[in-house]
Amino acid sequence: MASIKRSLESDPLQSNISSKVYVRSTKSGKVQKIVCEVYLRQDIPCSSKLCHRCREIAPTDSAGQPIPFVLSGAPAGTSVYPNGHYLVPDTNAFLSAMDLFEQSSGFYDVVVLQIVLEELRNRSLPLYNRLVGLTKSEDKRFYVFFNEFRLETYINRLDGESVNDRNDRAVRKAVAWYGEHLARTKAKQIPTVVMLSNDRENLRKAKNEGIAACSLANYVRQLEDGEHLLDMIPETEDGEMIKEKRPNELFYPEYFSMSKMMTGVKGGVLHQGTFNVSPYNYLEGSIRVPAFPKSLLILGRENINRAVDGDLVVVEVLPKDQWKEPSTQVIEEEAITKNENPDTEEGSSLVTERERKALQEEVKRTHSKTTEGHAQPTVRVVGVVKRNWRQYVGHIDQTSVSQSAQQGRKQDTVFVIPMDKKIPKIRLRTRQVAELVGKRILVTIDAWDRDSRHPTGHFVRSLGELETKAAETEALLLEYDVQYRPFPKTVLDCLPKEGHDWKVPTSTDDPGWRDREDLRHLGICSIDPIGCQDIDDALHSRPLPNGNFEVGVHIADVSHFVRPNNAMDMEASIRGTTVYLVDKRIDMLPMLLGTDLCSLKPYVERYAFSVLWELTPDADIVNMRFTKSVIKSREAFSYEQAQLRVEDASQQDDLTKSIRVLMALSRKLKQKRMDAGALSLSSPEVKVQMESETSDPIDVKTKQHLDTMSLVEEFMLLANVSVARKIYEAFPQTALLRRHGAPPKTNFDELANQLRVKKGLELSVESSRALADSLDTCVDPKEPFFNTLIRIMATRCMMAAEYFCSGTQAYPEFRHYGLASEIYTHFTSPIRRYADLVAHRQLAAAIEYEAVHPSVRSRGRLEAVCKNINVRHRNAQLAGRASIAYYVGQALRGKATEEDGFIMKIFSNGFVVLVPRFGIESLIRLRDLAEPEPSAEYDAETYTLKTSGSREIKVELFQKVRVLVTDQKDETTGKRGVKMEFVKAY
């Protein structure tokens, strides 16, 4: 038998082939060795416009055109590199200071090595996406050099060498090759190729090897605008900024090693989960873990041990005699830590005197009552598995600024107070204190060492003056990580070349009509909020000869325009959803598609994806089918217009009759859902009215619920359930679905006890049906809003709904608790949600309209998509609410109005009031009632607070109260919001 093994003699290119060996463990626990052959080439260009040799050998693009060279032929010089220079950063540089590379005042002609790009993608996907964006910028001139495929720059890993050391050596090898390669160009001025790194060992080795290398701080000092840019370098990376650490200044306990933590978690001795900070007490946090039915409590700085809200942490349960009750006191960081000196960590104790007093008051209160059985398991953080640090919006705490810092340009240390009250104050060293006081600024946390009470960070950029609309809107978008930058050219290039002139082809023989059903004859209309431009859905109904009805839901066929894995699809998958703010919309797709070509506007033909049912008069489904279609909507109604039309008996046209049939059927569908146990929950909903010319807020209205809203909702729910069943049937492992987990019964313990004690009502949580029925009984004959209040509070006890890939859960876990549906997905809003776009592709494949694209069959890819869109969906909701809160504050500016409110939560030193008129809630502290602060008696058993002294009042949970509502700038967060003053209790 002839051997298939190639010999060097028989294959002259064999010397250009290298092997990469990977070892991985299989599910069965066996070790598998994988060998990948890498073909090493010599035609990968350096991309410098100085190099004619590379231009001759460089490959061409798919059209046969030469690939344009990126790096300038006359790169800028500095005092150290007067002949010009190219930069080659290592992974460490991008990880620690990506903000620097995005600055317009420097960092041009940058070689991004393949090994660095790959390492960055493994370490931080958000930073990787930002770097990819820079490589697409024509202005910045960032060039990706495939050093792992170029013969002269590829290196094998040495015996005993770590992956990190091998990658650092690969970077140095590429820098050295670039320098030697350019020296052979015979140009008049040869640019210096400079390695940028903050890794001291890498810099030392580069120096020994004769390679030009520089730390970020030293390089920035050479730039014209260097003084300002120095603030953007992490303090931990700038050798001149790092202070001497003395062992007696260590405040926090040392973290366990990763191996010790993982061993402890596996053995059940330690527990892993996400750390959440209480919104009312910065010294209290909680963590939910599978081993305990209730959240575990974390109290005090030492036990929190440098964890920041959202971090994935490992905790150790404290002995039972140290278990405590959750705090009943509002403890705000700014009040306790005011006037702290950011330059010195005063005292040798971690817990300051003020914090100790605040915690002691809690301990006294805890021991003053018979609290046996009320204590919760209490834990301490022993390590952080994954930090949730991001860029934070905040402003400089005026009380931390020294007199000298406001005048000179010397570097000073100040505190930044983040907009998010759950995030601790951040120590910041900056040379721009005078310019930044009174501004909204963006900062990043770099480290939180054991010897510092607070995390340290660096300045990224200024957003503008506090309270200006532009600065506050951008701050809001950054705070919730909304991708708001304009769509790049690569995305816009994916749009139809005809632009707004695109039309559905007139000939049904056109490829665009392939397998589409012509539904232009149907009486289709859309019903949406006033002013809606991105119309995703439309409906129709018509009677059938057998007495049943044909009902159709027609959804914009976005997948026709957005093809899998092109630039527009990748951008949409990153954005995840459209974000709706009071004054603007941040689109997931370019406006041409969202508000025109995909939007199911009236009187024009549009591509759609239709779900068609035959329903009996009792709304039972006889049959259903799915088809790509072409429709022509007859009318675009607002909810209000459709409601008036239905109620006007004189309107007897076909369109109105169709809406009336849909209305009748939707009521029966809703009743079926309610009978199955669907929940009718609630959240405060208001609409801010804007002045048409200036876009200034002028009034706040409570949203009115109309029957036409329920009409649309019921048929969208029916379409989503129907599509979910179809795609799961076709793709049992990879269907993109949406689930809503049943909340742990313990989530309702507090609300159930409150209702029992205050109203004598029972809340049953055995099932969604039991909960729905008991919520219906939570009524107060004297107060109609009481039931809505309880539904709002019940909503907050729920789990969050989430997208998931069907192969990752057992079928019983698919259930949507709130909708009482066994299976559910999102299909009806593909213009504004990426999940719906994926569902469209899966449905198209399920009905054999088109071949299955790998992207909708790859479980790994779909799991990553689900993870991202879950975060984006949540952030979009929070951004929308924050926008309303900001504009409600602006609408009330300079005004004062008395409104009715309801007490939702009671503390020993304050209470939270919800004002339905504005859909907002606010904390009223005892210190706000009178000067001096009245003394108070708090009864946790009956949820009652009674004050005496300077002002006497008695308030209790669920009570109706009168409050004076005004606007107020929160000196802590710098945000203008609503202030409530207590007037009287009813």
Side-chain angles (χ1 to χ4, degrees):
M1 183 186 288
S3 171
I4 60 169
K5 191 174 181 181
R6 289 174 297 192
S7 66
L8 200 59
E9 290 78 23
S10 63
D11 187 353
L13 295 177
Q14 178 70 31
S15 60
N16 284 16
I17 294 176
S18 179
S19 295
K20 277 189 173 182
V21 180
Y22 301 93
V23 179
R24 74 172 185 188
S25 58
T26 63
K27 283 184 178 177
S28 61
K30 293 180 180 176
V31 174
Q32 189 177 35
K33 187 176 179 182
I34 300 168
V35 180
C36 294
E37 285 191 339
V38 182
Y39 175 58
L40 302 174
R41 302 161 53 165
Q42 290 181 287
D43 62 347
I44 296 172
C46 67
S47 202
S48 169
K49 290 178 181 175
L50 291 170
C51 183
H52 300 290
R53 191 174 168 203
C54 277
R55 199 178 293 279
E56 290 167 10
I57 63 165
T60 55
D61 61 19
S62 56
Q65 297 297 312
I67 295 172
F69 278 29
V70 174
L71 303 175
S72 169
T78 69
S79 54
V80 180
Y81 312 114
N83 291 341
H85 66 294
Y86 295 149
L87 295 173
V88 186
D90 67 0
T91 312
N92 175 283
F94 285 124
L95 277 171
S96 61
M98 180 65 77
D99 312 304
L100 268 177
F101 292 95
E102 294 169 332
Q103 295 303 303
S104 58
S105 53
F107 298 91
Y108 291 85
D109 298 304
V110 176
V111 177
V112 180
L113 298 178
Q114 173 196 1
I115 188 72
V116 169
L117 198 62
E118 288 175 356
E119 201 174 0
L120 191 68
R121 180 168 55 186
N122 293 332
R123 299 277 295 277
S124 171
L125 201 55
L127 291 179
Y128 167 80
N129 288 330
R130 285 166 68 184
L131 182 54
V132 168
L134 283 172
T135 64
K136 292 174 182 174
S137 164
E138 293 178 12
D139 179 45
K140 291 289 283 181
R141 303 189 297 278
F142 275 51
Y143 171 60
V144 179
F145 177 67
F146 289 89
N147 64 304
E148 295 286 86
F149 294 118
R150 176 96 195 193
L151 181 65
E152 299 93 334
T153 56
Y154 176 82
I155 61 167
N156 282 307
R157 187 172 157 196
L158 304 175
D159 287 341
E161 188 177 36
S162 71
V163 173
N164 188 57
D165 286 347
R166 183 260 171 200
N167 291 349
D168 284 347
R169 190 160 58 85
V171 172
R172 296 195 300 274
K173 174 83 172 174
V175 175
W177 175 82
Y178 250 95
E180 294 159 8
H181 178 78
L182 291 174
R184 293 197 291 270
T185 61
K186 298 176 182 174
K188 286 183 182 176
Q189 285 194 331
I190 306 295
T192 308
V193 183
V194 183
M195 183 184 86
L196 275 186
S197 177
N198 273 331
D199 184 324
R200 289 177 185 174
E201 185 61 14
N202 202 14
L203 288 170
R204 185 187 66 77
K205 288 178 179 176
K207 191 175 179 182
N208 291 345
E209 293 167 18
I211 295 168
C214 201
S215 71
L216 277 170
N218 287 335
Y219 175 72
V220 164
R221 288 188 182 97
Q222 301 170 33
L223 301 178
E224 206 170 303
D225 195 31
E227 194 175 333
H228 281 88
L229 295 180
L230 276 172
D231 281 352
M232 299 173 68
I233 297 171
E235 181 176 333
T236 52
E237 305 294 350
D238 186 349
E240 292 185 11
M241 298 182 193
I242 298 173
K243 59 179 183 175
E244 289 298 315
K245 299 190 189 319
R246 293 188 290 277
N248 63 338
E249 288 185 338
L250 298 177
F251 291 126
Y252 291 100
E254 189 175 1
Y255 287 153
F256 286 4
S257 68
M258 190 61 75
S259 61
K260 185 176 179 180
M261 286 195 291
M262 292 304 103
T263 304
V265 171
K266 275 185 181 176
V269 180
L270 303 176
H271 305 275
Q272 181 177 304
T274 302
F275 174 66
N276 296 300
V277 176
S278 162
Y280 299 106
N281 182 350
Y282 79 103
L283 293 173
E284 177 181 300
S286 64
I287 174 175
R288 191 173 272 288
V289 300
F292 288 82
K294 270 192 169 184
S295 292
L296 303 176
L297 208 55
I298 309 175
L299 285 173
R301 268 191 196 273
E302 189 170 6
N303 289 334
I304 291 172
N305 195 7
R306 296 168 283 156
V308 172
D309 188 66
D311 285 351
L312 185 64
V313 300
V314 171
V315 297
E316 178 182 53
V317 180
L318 296 172
K320 207 161 186 177
D321 61 349
Q322 293 182 40
W323 290 10
K324 296 201 171 69
E325 278 189 85
S327 168
T328 62
Q329 191 174 18
V330 178
I331 304 179
E332 295 166 310
E333 183 175 18
E334 65 276 8
I336 300 289
T337 63
K338 201 171 184 178
N339 297 319
E340 268 190 325
N341 187 339
D343 275 316
T344 58
E345 301 284 1
E346 291 173 1
S348 58
S349 172
L350 168 62
V351 182
T352 64
E353 195 56 37
R354 285 181 179 180
E355 285 176 347
R356 186 176 286 108
K357 278 184 181 174
L359 289 170
Q360 277 173 351
E361 284 176 26
E362 277 296 293
V363 171
K364 275 183 207 165
R365 184 196 61 74
T366 302
H367 291 297
S368 66
K369 302 195 312 290
T370 53
T371 57
E372 286 300 313
H374 290 290
Q376 279 181 220
T378 307
V379 297
R380 68 184 184 102
V381 173
V382 296
V384 177
V385 177
K386 189 178 182 184
R387 287 290 190 188
N388 190 44
W389 292 349
R390 54 179 171 84
Q391 292 183 330
Y392 299 99
V393 179
H395 72 284
I396 290 175
D397 179 3
Q398 185 73 52
T399 66
S400 70
V401 179
S402 65
Q403 199 63 40
S404 60
Q406 296 189 48
Q407 296 160 356
R409 294 286 304 170
K410 75 177 186 70
Q411 192 174 47
D412 219 312
T413 308
V414 291
F415 279 128
V416 170
I417 302 176
M419 272 174 68
D420 185 349
K421 286 193 172 188
K422 290 184 170 189
I423 305 302
K425 290 196 300 192
I426 301 166
R427 289 176 75 243
L428 182 81
R429 284 180 69 78
T430 174
R431 297 162 178 79
Q432 305 173 62
V433 173
E435 293 99 312
L436 297 181
V437 168
K439 300 271 179 67
R440 274 262 173 257
I441 62 173
L442 192 62
V443 297
T444 298
I445 293 180
D446 300 319
W448 195 345
D449 296 328
R450 292 175 61 201
D451 63 347
S452 175
R453 255 193 212 102
H454 304 280
T456 55
H458 71 267
F459 168 74
V460 176
R461 64 187 173 92
S462 169
L463 307 181
E465 295 286 339
L466 284 165
E467 290 205 84
T468 55
K469 190 187 288 188
E472 296 300 338
T473 301
E474 189 177 9
L476 187 152
L477 294 169
L478 286 164
E479 190 62 24
Y480 296 105
D481 193 22
V482 175
Q483 310 294 304
Y484 63 97
R485 299 292 183 201
F487 288 99
K489 185 176 179 297
T490 51
V491 170
L492 300 179
D493 286 345
C494 298
L495 293 167
K497 299 291 180 274
E498 305 91 330
H500 291 285
D501 296 327
W502 178 92
K503 287 180 174 58
V504 170
T506 51
S507 169
T508 55
D509 294 328
D510 188 280
W513 274 87
R514 180 183 63 82
D515 295 339
R516 284 188 187 274
E517 199 167 324
D518 188 348
L519 302 180
R520 292 176 293 181
H521 60 285
L522 295 175
I524 295 170
C525 68
S526 60
I527 307 174
D528 290 287
I530 292 171
C532 179
Q533 293 176 300
D534 48 347
I535 303 173
D536 285 288
D537 56 85
L539 305 103
H540 90 274
S541 75
R542 61 176 177 174
L544 297 172
N546 63 1
N548 291 339
F549 297 96
E550 177 188 88
V551 174
V553 162
H554 311 277
I555 306 300
D557 188 7
V558 177
S559 61
H560 173 81
F561 297 94
V562 184
R563 305 310 300 168
N565 288 350
N566 70 7
M568 185 151 53
D569 181 51
M570 298 305 288
E571 182 73 16
S573 72
I574 291 167
R575 294 187 177 219
T577 182
T578 293
V579 181
Y580 294 90
L581 307 180
V582 169
D583 62 332
K584 64 168 69 177
R585 191 182 65 231
I586 312 296
D587 291 315
M588 181 183 83
L589 294 171
M591 193 175 283
L592 175 66
L593 292 186
T595 61
D596 190 358
L597 307 190
C598 290
S599 184
L600 303 182
K601 301 194 295 186
Y603 329 124
V604 291
E605 295 170 359
R606 287 287 180 256
Y607 285 149
F609 211 151
S610 301
V611 185
L612 300 160
W613 301 274
E614 182 183 339
L615 298 177
T616 67
D618 287 329
D620 293 324
I621 299 172
V622 177
N623 59 57
M624 66 177 155
R625 62 193 180 88
F626 310 91
T627 179
K628 291 265 189 166
S629 60
V630 175
I631 67 166
K632 186 174 182 178
S633 174
R634 298 282 191 272
E635 195 62 68
F637 295 114
S638 68
Y639 290 126
E640 291 78 4
Q641 287 171 332
Q643 189 73 39
L644 289 171
R645 194 160 181 140
V646 167
E647 292 170 356
D648 185 352
S650 67
Q651 297 268 15
Q652 293 299 326
D653 58 281
D654 289 344
L655 210 51
T656 305
K657 287 178 182 176
S658 169
I659 298 173
R660 287 190 183 120
V661 168
L662 291 169
M663 181 80 79
L665 291 169
S666 72
R667 286 178 177 141
K668 287 172 179 171
L669 286 169
K670 184 170 184 177
Q671 191 56 52
K672 289 176 194 287
R673 284 198 309 109
M674 292 302 163
D675 291 344
L679 294 171
S680 176
L681 297 171
S682 192
S683 59
E685 287 198 352
V686 296
K687 183 175 176 62
V688 180
Q689 287 189 317
M690 311 290 278
E691 210 280 321
S692 56
E693 289 184 14
T694 62
S695 291
D696 289 332
I698 51 175
D699 199 5
V700 183
K701 299 269 194 226
T702 306
K703 282 186 182 174
Q704 185 185 3
H705 190 81
L706 301 170
D707 287 345
T708 45
M709 295 175 180
S710 285
L711 181 161
V712 174
E713 181 185 14
E714 289 307 320
F715 284 107
M716 295 309 121
L717 291 175
L718 186 63
N720 287 335
V721 171
S722 300
V723 170
R725 293 189 194 283
K726 184 69 177 176
I727 62 175
Y728 176 60
E729 182 185 296
F731 307 111
Q733 287 297 309
T734 52
L736 194 150
L737 304 174
R738 186 163 173 81
R739 66 188 288 270
H740 182 210
K745 292 182 176 61
T746 53
N747 280 22
F748 289 95
D749 284 355
E750 188 177 3
L751 180 58
N753 189 58
Q754 290 168 346
L755 284 167
R756 194 180 303 116
V757 170
K758 301 306 293 179
K759 298 288 183 178
L761 296 167
E762 287 298 322
L763 194 66
S764 175
V765 294
E766 297 308 309
S767 65
S768 61
R769 177 66 192 269
L771 178 59
D773 289 344
S774 59
L775 283 173
D776 289 341
T777 66
C778 292
V779 292
D780 182 341
K782 300 176 196 165
E783 184 44 65
F785 186 77
F786 176 71
N787 186 256
T788 305
L789 179 70
I790 299 307
R791 289 182 191 276
I792 289 169
M793 294 172 76
T795 303
R796 297 176 186 184
C797 300
M798 295 289 173
M799 307 288 281
E802 62 178 7
Y803 297 104
F804 71 103
C805 189
S806 56
T808 63
Q809 299 281 348
Y811 188 79
E813 300 301 315
F814 289 13
R815 185 172 174 78
H816 195 293
Y817 180 83
L819 297 174
S821 177
E822 284 185 16
I823 193 167
Y824 191 68
T825 193
H826 270 165
F827 166 79
T828 53
S829 296
I831 291 175
R832 61 185 180 88
R833 288 189 305 230
Y834 189 74
D836 303 56
L837 181 53
V838 175
H840 275 236
R841 289 172 183 159
Q842 293 187 334
L843 183 61
I847 64 172
E848 298 181 352
Y849 174 82
E850 61 189 11
V852 182
H853 192 275
S855 68
V856 299
R857 286 304 299 265
S858 164
R859 188 160 134 184
R861 156 126 167 94
L862 286 168
E863 283 182 46
V865 165
C866 288
K867 189 176 178 183
N868 178 60
I869 58 182
N870 281 329
V871 172
R872 297 292 178 201
H873 184 78
R874 176 75 176 145
N875 285 357
Q877 287 181 316
L878 295 173
R881 288 175 201 161
S883 177
I884 288 171
Y886 169 71
Y887 275 98
V888 167
Q890 294 298 311
L892 288 169
R893 199 162 187 170
K895 300 175 187 174
T897 174
E898 279 196 15
E899 297 290 340
D900 288 338
F902 295 85
I903 295 180
M904 294 186 78
K905 199 166 180 62
I906 292 205
F907 298 98
S908 56
N909 62 340
F911 48 95
V912 178
V913 175
L914 169 72
V915 175
R917 159 94 162 79
F918 299 125
I920 49 163
E921 56 195 79
S922 183
L923 174 68
I924 298 178
R925 305 167 190 81
L926 293 188
R927 69 170 188 259
D928 300 330
L929 294 175
E931 190 71 43
E933 181 179 326
S935 54
E937 187 183 317
Y938 171 62
D939 188 341
E941 302 296 319
T942 61
Y943 305 102
T944 305
L945 181 64
K946 194 188 291 184
T947 68
S948 58
S950 52
R951 187 171 180 187
E952 293 185 12
I953 65 165
K954 181 185 176 184
V955 290
E956 49 193 317
L957 195 65
F958 305 138
Q959 188 175 17
K960 187 175 180 178
V961 293
R962 191 76 172 164
V963 292
L964 179 68
V965 182
T966 56
D967 71 307
Q968 180 191 45
K969 180 181 173 184
D970 188 326
E971 294 304 326
T972 310
T973 62
K975 287 193 285 191
R976 183 164 297 276
V978 169
K979 181 189 178 187
M980 292 185 198
E981 291 179 35
F982 182 80
V983 177
K984 65 174 182 178
Y986 287 101

